[in-house]
Amino acid sequence: MKPTKKVFVTGGAGYIGSHTALSLLEAGYDVVVLDNLCNASQEALHRVEQLAGRALTFIEGDIRDRACLDKLFREHDIHAVIHFAGLKAVGESVSAPLAYYDTNVNGSITLCQAMLQAGVFRLVFSSSATVYGPEAPIPYIESMPRGATSNPYGASKSIVEQVLDDLVRSDERWSIAMLRYFNPIGAHSSGMIGEDPQGTPNNLMPYIAQVAVGRRSTLTVFGNDYATADGTCVRDYLHVMDLAEGHVSALDRLTLPGSHIYNLGTGQGLSVLQMIEAFERVSERQIPYQFASRREGDLAAFWADPSKAEKELGWQALRGLDEMIADTWRWQRQNPNGYRTEINTTSQGTS
Ligand code: NAD
Ligand code: UD1
């Protein structure tokens, strides 16, 4: 029998990380999660274990803590690392740039240093469509150069991509996939795990879901004067489980040396008003909304050309809009306050 491969998932208690941890367990990998829980709850991992029917290893720790990483690599025979840990609120990154560069850039460098010392050279990095910058023509294609970034969050992703490019050039043992996510939404179909933003949600779908469940009264739509069909911004929304499965597909690609960039999106753009209409239809709830001025830094429209991921990874976003919304709604309805007010279901697995 082949030995089980162990994947180290940084930030694995968070939104995308927890769904990916589940996909990894289901694909037969063992999983070690490191998370400092600054934007997550360990309850998410308990539920991942319940859904998978087996345990993972959880270590509460910080990605910038080199000694913690070295110990983890000594104690576990790691096949590959999937690196989600980071800060992701664009507005906050403008007011707290040092925190963003420290966690996102310094954290990634510390991780790579520890990997180098441990002799682990397979890495999947969470990048973002934001690195294409405001001037890129749509759809975005991986061969386009990285563009200007308008905020420290975007800059931190771009800088880490550059660091990783330089790293693979310096040493041919590295094999790195940089996955540029478009707009992940949705939740696992069980409704047991999902997105649980702390405080006021910055992103559209969690905001809509909180209006639908009665936690917030009205959605503010930022701008209705864009050069799009209905005047509101257009984005490429993809199901978080499709995104999670994209990471499992990317792991298989890590036999090839070098750095490999993939867009993970559907290739289809939808406007804010289309998202509201679809949510109202699927949930049978009214979403009261009002228009306000544009949000600084927003682009009118972008979506992915996902054909490279399809060709090279054999990956495609399979779940449609109604499924994304039905799954978001199930999660929000079952967990109106996210992970916080739920009775903690105990699990023996996490350590
Ligand atoms: P998230 O906040 O839910 O997950 C990030 C996780 O990292 C959290 O669990 C948090 O507690 C943890 N973390 C933060 N700082 C840490 C530190 N110093 N040490 C250890 N753990 C730490 O966010 P997410 O939506 O799951 O995003 C995951 C990754 O994907 C991030 O790197 C994010 O920038 C990137 N990304 C997300 C989106 C999106 O729309 N959600 C889009 C593009 C890229
Ligand atoms: C945002 C970030 C992006 C980051 C991504 C995931 C900005 C400018 N971009 O993407 O860098 O990678 O989140 O964290 O912040 N909207 C409303 N009302 C709301 C919320 C959003 O109208 O309350 C609109 C926005 O103006 C946008 C669309 O909905 O047009 C999608 O917004 P959002 O979900 O925040 O995603 P992005 O802005 O694409």
Side-chain angles (χ1 to χ4, degrees), residues 90 128 183 202-204 220-222 233 235 237 295 298:
V90 173
S128 166
N183 289 57
N202 296 307
N203 299 116
L204 179 66
T220 302
V221 176
F222 300 128
C233 291
R235 295 288 182 273
Y237 297 93
R295 183 172 70 178
D298 271 347

Side-chain angles (χ1 to χ4, degrees), residues 206-225:
Y207 206 109
I208 292 180
Q210 292 192 9
V211 172
V213 86
R215 263 173 82 177
R216 299 183 190 277
S217 59
T218 311
L219 170 75
T220 302
V221 176
F222 300 128
N224 61 347
D225 57 350

Side-chain angles (χ1 to χ4, degrees), residues 129 132 137-144 180-182 236 261-269 302-311 315-317:
Y132 285 101
I138 40 180
Y140 292 168
I141 303 174
E142 293 88 341
S143 53
M144 293 170 176
R180 293 178 177 169
Y181 311 155
F182 282 69
D236 182 339
I261 299 174
Y262 296 102
N263 288 339
L264 296 184
T266 65
Q268 204 202 345
F302 62 82
W303 56 88
D305 176 337
S307 53
K308 187 179 176 207
E310 185 177 353
K311 199 164 134 234
W315 176 87
Q316 235 186 324

